[in-house]
Amino acid sequence: MFDRRQLLVGFGAMTAASMMPNALEAAGKVTADRNSVLLVVDVQNCFLPGGSLAVKDGDKVVPVINAIAKKFTHVVLTQDWHTPGHISFASSHGGKKPFDTTDVAYGKQVLWPDHCVMGTEGAALSKDLAIPHAQLVLRKGYEKAVDSYSAFTEADGKTTTGLAGYLKARKLQRIFIAGLATDFCVAWSALDARKAGFETYVIEDACRGIDTQGSLAKAWSDMTKAGVKRIKSGDLAA
């Protein structure tokens, strides 16, 4: 016969387990369930070795992303998609050079080499990405007079891309972010995801940063303060 004390202890353990998101997460793993989406940010030729704004070791995120994407039912890709003469290009500002800053209508703008000009090979997604089940490719930064690092909100802080509405309409609640670059488009997307109410993870080894003037450390600090969770690809379970 069951001992009454043992039975009560057993019920207590079952109750505690039921309160956890899932058993795997209790063991230090995070599950990519059907309410989760992988957001792959700007894995484009301009940001890869040989590109006009190459991120160091940017190509090394591709096999990691391809592997983790298999664990997700839902995947969204983003593309920087700039006009010629875009406001974020140093070449659009007389006397300025790449990585300088300038004041624009919506605040401080870092100036970059010309990159990801719409319709060019540099703007194309890496040919080595292998995510055939991706359901949406979202283009951002196509307004000539405003930049858009974030996949959710343009740099003016008020114009949305519609991504939050898309994800909420599909009842996707947890966002896992990978891509380029950690300290700019990845971080801004993660911060805006939190503002929109999503549980947000950044997969560290599936990202690479530019790290100009301490930008990488600041990005991680800002994300941590906002409640973004920092994980590695090995922490993911299907």
Side-chain angles (χ1 to χ4, degrees):
M1 293 182 63
F2 287 110
D3 179 87
R4 179 181 175 82
R5 186 184 299 273
Q6 290 178 332
L7 192 60
L8 289 173
V9 169
F11 277 130
M14 289 170 62
T15 301
S18 70
M19 294 173 67
M20 296 176 184
N22 53 62
L24 285 169
E25 291 194 5
K29 293 283 186 178
V30 185
T31 302
D33 58 23
R34 292 190 64 85
N35 294 321
S36 301
V37 59
L38 176 64
L39 179 63
V40 179
V41 175
D42 298 358
V43 183
Q44 296 168 258
N45 293 331
C46 273
F47 300 129
L48 300 177
S52 62
L53 186 49
V55 178
K56 186 176 186 295
D57 295 330
D59 56 327
K60 293 185 178 174
V61 306
V62 175
V64 181
I65 290 171
N66 287 343
I68 61 179
K70 295 174 182 176
K71 300 178 180 181
F72 287 85
T73 301
H74 307 287
V75 181
V76 171
L77 310 176
T78 73
Q79 275 181 293
D80 257 8
W81 199 250
H82 297 313
T83 61
H86 193 262
I87 197 169
S88 70
F89 297 167
S91 62
S92 300
H93 303 266
K96 294 288 188 179
K97 60 184 183 299
F99 306 105
D100 284 348
T101 61
T102 192
D103 292 316
V104 296
Y106 50 83
K108 193 74 71 177
Q109 173 70 52
V110 178
L111 300 177
W112 307 105
D114 291 23
H115 66 281
C116 297
V117 175
M118 51 180 61
T120 65
E121 183 61 23
L125 296 168
S126 169
K127 64 179 177 54
D128 295 319
L129 277 178
I131 316 176
H133 61 293
Q135 297 145 352
L136 175 71
V137 178
L138 183 142
R139 289 171 169 170
K140 60 189 179 65
Y142 51 79
E143 298 285 355
K144 189 171 185 176
V146 61
D147 207 359
S148 187
Y149 296 141
S150 171
F152 293 89
T153 311
E154 294 183 2
D156 61 7
K158 58 187 179 183
T159 305
T160 69
T161 65
L163 180 58
Y166 169 87
L167 298 177
K168 288 178 180 180
R170 304 188 72 194
K171 296 181 170 49
L172 300 175
Q173 301 163 353
R174 311 169 86 196
I175 300 177
F176 294 78
I177 305 179
L180 305 170
T182 313
D183 37 346
F184 287 93
C185 295
V186 168
W188 285 50
S189 296
L191 293 170
D192 280 347
R194 289 294 299 136
K195 288 177 186 175
F198 295 99
E199 186 177 346
T200 307
Y201 299 78
V202 169
I203 307 167
E204 185 176 7
D205 57 326
C207 304
R208 291 294 186 280
I210 295 173
D211 200 14
T212 176
Q213 301 176 9
S215 57
L216 187 58
K218 183 180 185 305
W220 280 119
S221 175
D222 290 346
M223 287 190 282
T224 300
K225 289 176 184 175
V228 175
K229 299 173 185 179
R230 183 176 182 174
I231 63 171
K232 294 189 180 292
S233 59
D235 299 325
L236 275 169

